[in-house]
Amino acid sequence: MEQRFKERYDELKWLYCELYQNDEAAFDYFCDMLRRSWAQRRESLRALDEKRQADPDWYRSNKLLGMMLYVDNFAGDLNGVMKKLDYIQDCGVNYLHLMPLLKTVPERSDGGYAVADFREVQPELGKMEELDDLTELCHEKDMCVCLDFVMNHTSEDHPWARAARAGDPVARSRYFFFDNWDIPFEYERTVPQVFPATAPGNFTWLDDCRQIVMTFFYPYQWDLNYRNPIVFNDMAENLLFLANQGVDVIRLDAVPYIWKELGTDCRNRPQVHTLVRMLHLACEIVCPGLLLLGEVIMEPEKLAPYFGPTDKPECHMLYNATTMCTTWHTVATRDVRLLRRQMEALSGLPRVYTFLNYLRCHDDIGWGLDFAWLWANLGQGEAPHKRYLNHWFTGIQPGSWSRGELYNNDERLSDARLCGTTASLCGLESAVTPAEVQRALDCDLMLHAWMLTQSGLPVLYSGDEIAQLNDYTYHSEPRKWADSRYLHRGRFPWDRAAQKDDPNTIPGRLFVPLRKLILLRAENDVFCADAEVNAFDTGSQQVLGVRRRFNGKTLTALFNFCEEGRWIFNPARGGRELVTGAVWADEWIELQGYGFVWLEGEIA
Ligand code: GLC
């Protein structure tokens, strides 16, 4: 550790002192804290660190597959999850993202993203020791565990916030407190809203102490002030505490927001990168096996800087949000051109940049599409196009079989995002006839195949593997009803899961072939993150073509994004299809509606 410290000391000190105006005392505290955290790291974790240092690309392997789930929805509590690890393994999953489980106040929790204590588990979910046991059990099974680190804000019920409310000036300096609206109004001129409908405004009036506090998200989530080095020091220590519970991957929640600057939009400020780089260095010193996963739901040009320069990395992995929403755009339009362009943009990035790929997660789908390109090339304007997408996915558009709900419908800007499970968005919920059911399952499977073909770590959203439908019960729960993200946060349907291996049931008709794809991906290293990936024109606007090359092997994949069959000129004649094992010698390939193929072999 001392050796690692020595190698990183100069850069760390430089960054810290530049950001915190040579506050040497704060820096010394920070360094002591790193040593303290290392001293508390148990032997088994240090051994894992060493193993990973010897294989630093471990997380870029095609053998890794993720799943994210809510502990309570899935299995009640942490003990329940331990008992259900077999199910997770059976899905081929070896990376488990547990949704926020730290202490919160259920009435004011934002799904756990309002943390009242970074060192305690929410009592209904278990205890910190059980998290420790779970990570240990996962490590025994060669699985890793990801946990959120909600660093932009704390709950108003966190002891710092309570002390600040009570008037403690030191505690207040951890947040943004104002005694009149002058500065808050200045901020409001330039800062957009995260939750315009469910939590309008970026500040909250506290009647009891007659103060205004900055709250970019919900009013009970108070933004931390990272200009104060004490905040950074303590939050870094909290992060390392979680790492020492055996957490392998830390999801840096809402990280673009952590530095506030009057007169700006308070997103992606240069200081955010300094803070993330310092966290990266701190982890390399204390727990070098740990990964930082950045939650940066931003346009691609703002995203790439969060990887950092290749010799000074920041996040190890980032969400591939643009590909995710462009995929759904493609489902609704049956036009792959924007998706192809997105693939071209990604293939221009350094290959070490690793993305986390997903179809759905616990959040809404925000339409962060390349609207400039859509307008210039397809003549589609932003507002009408978003309206079309939202109409399609809420089933309003004539002919649509999709069933979702709007999220944060901002009537002022005629902007809205979208919620729903993959299966419901693909039409399974509205399907009546056998043909409709088949169409929905085919679309669902094709989307998963496409996710598995992208480079990086694919992460399943729990329930999607068995085609879980929307859950409307939140409509009648006062704590949840205003937040339509609960539509896709339903209880895990164990009755459905029991049918997963039976190909005559609906869950089985998705799960059985999906599991086969998962195994094929793990067996074939052409799927690894180091492969060269390109999209190509298949001659059909409905069919996406992707080619992966690695170690002399080539995989050519085709995905039909429309419900009708398509004939495609065979791009890899004589190649074997991985899923069926058939050799495709013909000049033309017929893809069924929502069909796909994974062909081994070179493009002709
Ligand atoms: C992230 C989470 C989201 C939460 C927000 C505030 O974006 O994914 O669920 O509401 O942060 O913490």
Side-chain angles (χ1 to χ4, degrees):
M1 193 276 298
E2 284 303 335
Q3 180 60 28
R4 293 197 298 265
F5 209 155
K6 215 167 116 199
E7 284 164 13
R8 288 157 184 85
Y9 183 84
D10 288 346
E11 188 194 346
L12 196 55
K13 184 164 186 188
W14 177 277
L15 293 174
Y16 198 104
C17 289
E18 192 182 42
L19 191 67
Y20 292 125
Q21 290 102 39
N22 292 318
D23 189 336
E24 300 254 358
F27 182 65
D28 288 346
Y29 181 95
F30 183 71
C31 294
D32 288 346
M33 179 278 287
L34 295 185
R35 292 202 169 87
R36 202 162 59 234
S37 301
W38 159 253
Q40 287 158 2
R41 192 155 178 82
R42 64 170 179 257
E43 233 1 275
S44 58
L45 294 177
R46 291 180 184 179
L48 198 55
D49 287 337
E50 264 175 43
K51 193 172 142 206
R52 288 179 180 159
Q53 272 178 294
D55 177 22
D57 280 345
W58 65 274
Y59 62 97
R60 298 165 44 72
S61 152
N62 47 301
K63 300 204 173 357
L64 210 60
L65 177 78
M67 178 180 275
M68 52 190 296
L69 55 82
Y70 283 94
V71 170
D72 52 349
N73 284 339
F74 182 71
D77 56 17
L78 286 170
N79 268 319
V81 175
M82 279 190 258
K83 292 189 193 119
K84 302 277 190 199
L85 280 184
D86 287 351
Y87 173 84
I88 295 166
Q89 280 196 301
D90 210 19
C91 296
V93 167
N94 46 14
Y95 166 113
L96 182 59
H97 177 182
L98 301 171
M99 297 307 293
L101 48 76
L102 297 179
K103 198 167 170 208
T104 185
V105 174
E107 291 73 33
R108 304 183 288 276
S109 85
D110 184 22
Y113 285 97
V115 178
D117 190 331
F118 290 94
R119 299 185 177 216
E120 234 185 276
V121 170
Q122 175 64 6
E124 296 93 72
L125 302 179
K127 298 197 181 65
M128 198 43 92
E129 299 80 69
E130 284 159 3
L131 178 63
D132 222 310
D133 292 346
L134 173 61
T135 59
E136 209 158 289
L137 188 59
C138 285
H139 292 158
E140 274 166 30
K141 293 176 182 280
D142 247 338
M143 297 171 84
C144 58
V145 177
C146 168
L147 212 67
D148 281 88
F149 184 58
V150 187
M151 65 179 304
N152 176 65
H153 42 259
T154 74
S155 150
E156 64 174 349
D157 299 286
H158 190 283
W160 299 341
R162 284 171 184 261
R165 198 189 266 273
D168 175 346
V170 177
R172 280 196 181 170
S173 72
R174 291 178 185 266
Y175 299 95
F176 294 88
F177 269 75
F178 305 94
D179 45 25
N180 66 61
W181 286 94
D182 293 349
I183 297 175
F185 281 158
E186 275 303 306
Y187 273 105
E188 291 288 17
R189 281 176 204 271
T190 54
V191 183
Q193 312 220 0
V194 184
F195 298 143
T198 48
N202 288 306
F203 294 86
T204 298
W205 167 250
L206 305 174
D207 208 26
D208 48 357
C209 60
R210 309 201 66 71
Q211 290 281 311
I212 297 147
V213 67
M214 183 187 281
T215 53
F216 278 11
F217 291 80
Y218 278 108
Y220 51 78
Q221 289 165 315
W222 294 8
D223 288 69
L224 285 166
N225 184 354
Y226 281 89
R227 282 173 194 271
N228 180 351
I230 297 175
V231 169
F232 179 66
N233 286 355
D234 288 350
M235 289 301 281
E237 189 167 7
N238 283 333
L239 187 158
L240 295 171
F241 171 84
L242 293 174
N244 281 347
Q245 307 311 305
V247 173
D248 306 274
V249 183
I250 291 280
R251 176 185 183 272
L252 297 177
D253 179 61
V255 65
Y257 299 81
I258 60 178
W259 192 269
K260 317 299 197 274
E261 185 122 28
L262 201 59
T264 73
D265 63 357
C266 295
R267 278 128 166 97
N268 311 302
R269 305 303 304 156
Q271 291 86 346
V272 172
H273 294 284
T274 305
L275 290 165
V276 178
R277 176 67 187 151
M278 289 199 291
L279 288 178
H280 189 107
L281 291 169
C283 293
E284 278 184 342
I285 293 166
V286 177
C287 44
L290 184 109
L291 301 181
L292 295 177
L293 162 65
E295 193 226 359
V296 183
I297 309 301
M298 297 276 161
E299 330 49 323
E301 11 3 313
K302 305 218 172 97
L303 193 68
Y306 285 87
F307 284 117
T310 45
D311 59 337
K312 288 191 170 39
E314 294 177 23
C315 294
H316 298 85
M317 264 193 302
L318 294 176
Y319 282 83
N320 196 348
T322 306
T323 301
M324 182 277 294
C325 67
T326 307
T327 297
W328 287 108
H329 147 96
T330 312
V331 171
T333 58
R334 302 160 176 91
D335 182 334
V336 301
R337 284 175 289 178
L338 183 64
L339 194 51
R340 199 166 73 221
R341 178 183 151 79
Q342 164 65 5
M343 291 306 289
E344 280 158 11
L346 289 181
S347 55
L349 293 174
R351 232 170 285 163
V352 292
Y353 287 2
T354 309
F355 284 100
L356 184 153
N357 299 305
Y358 61 118
L359 293 173
R360 293 295 298 111
C361 71
H362 68 296
D363 278 331
D364 50 291
I365 302 171
W367 297 117
L369 305 171
D370 187 342
F371 286 108
W373 188 91
L374 273 179
W375 176 246
N377 292 278
L378 307 182
Q380 284 167 351
E382 177 167 342
H385 189 54
K386 279 187 184 164
R387 201 173 317 124
Y388 169 77
L389 294 172
N390 286 328
H391 281 178
W392 176 267
F393 286 113
T394 52
I396 292 174
Q397 185 71 24
S400 163
W401 44 75
S402 196
R403 293 291 177 268
E405 286 184 350
L406 295 185
Y407 176 69
N408 267 286
N409 186 6
D410 189 346
E411 309 228 339
R412 215 170 29 108
L413 301 175
S414 68
D415 197 4
R417 287 123 76 175
L418 195 98
C419 295
T421 68
T422 301
S424 289
L425 294 179
C426 288
L428 188 63
E429 189 179 316
S430 66
V432 179
T433 65
E436 286 167 356
V437 170
Q438 193 57 48
R439 183 181 62 200
L441 290 171
D442 288 345
C443 179
D444 197 326
L445 184 67
M446 182 276 292
L447 291 179
H448 279 93
W450 157 231
M451 172 179 79
L452 294 170
T453 309
Q454 294 166 41
S455 262
L457 172 68
V459 175
L460 295 165
Y461 186 54
S462 168
D464 271 0
E465 73 282 9
I466 49 166
Q468 181 169 353
L469 301 177
N470 290 340
D471 174 31
Y472 295 92
T473 59
Y474 85 95
H475 283 277
S476 50
E477 281 188 61
R479 234 196 258 167
K480 299 180 178 168
W481 69 266
D483 193 332
S484 52
R485 290 177 297 179
Y486 286 101
L487 183 66
H488 51 253
R489 296 178 182 173
R491 282 211 172 281
F492 186 75
W494 283 103
D495 49 343
R496 241 178 141 86
Q499 301 175 327
K500 77 180 196 317
D501 298 315
D502 180 351
N504 298 316
T505 62
I506 286 182
R509 280 160 68 189
L510 181 66
F511 185 82
V512 173
L514 175 59
R515 168 132 177 97
K516 181 162 189 191
L517 297 179
I518 288 171
L519 293 177
L520 283 170
R521 176 180 174 275
E523 282 163 13
N524 287 280
D525 54 10
V526 72
F527 287 100
C528 78
D530 282 320
E532 178 196 324
V533 186
N534 303 98
F536 63 90
D537 189 350
T538 61
S540 163
Q541 257 169 43
Q542 286 79 44
V543 178
L544 180 74
V546 178
R547 185 184 52 192
R548 302 184 61 89
R549 277 211 183 111
F550 183 70
N551 248 352
K553 282 198 208 130
T554 303
L555 178 95
T556 306
L558 300 173
F559 305 93
N560 181 3
F561 274 82
C562 86
E563 65 276 27
E564 290 156 14
R566 285 287 178 270
W567 284 94
I568 299 296
F569 186 73
N570 190 344
R573 274 178 77 182
R576 194 173 60 98
E577 209 282 325
L578 279 185
V579 184
T580 56
V583 174
W584 290 72
D586 295 343
E587 204 166 305
W588 293 86
I589 290 183
E590 187 185 9
L591 286 177
Q592 304 293 327
Y594 295 125
F596 65 91
V597 285
W598 275 350
L599 294 167
E600 265 180 343
E602 203 42 64
I603 291 208

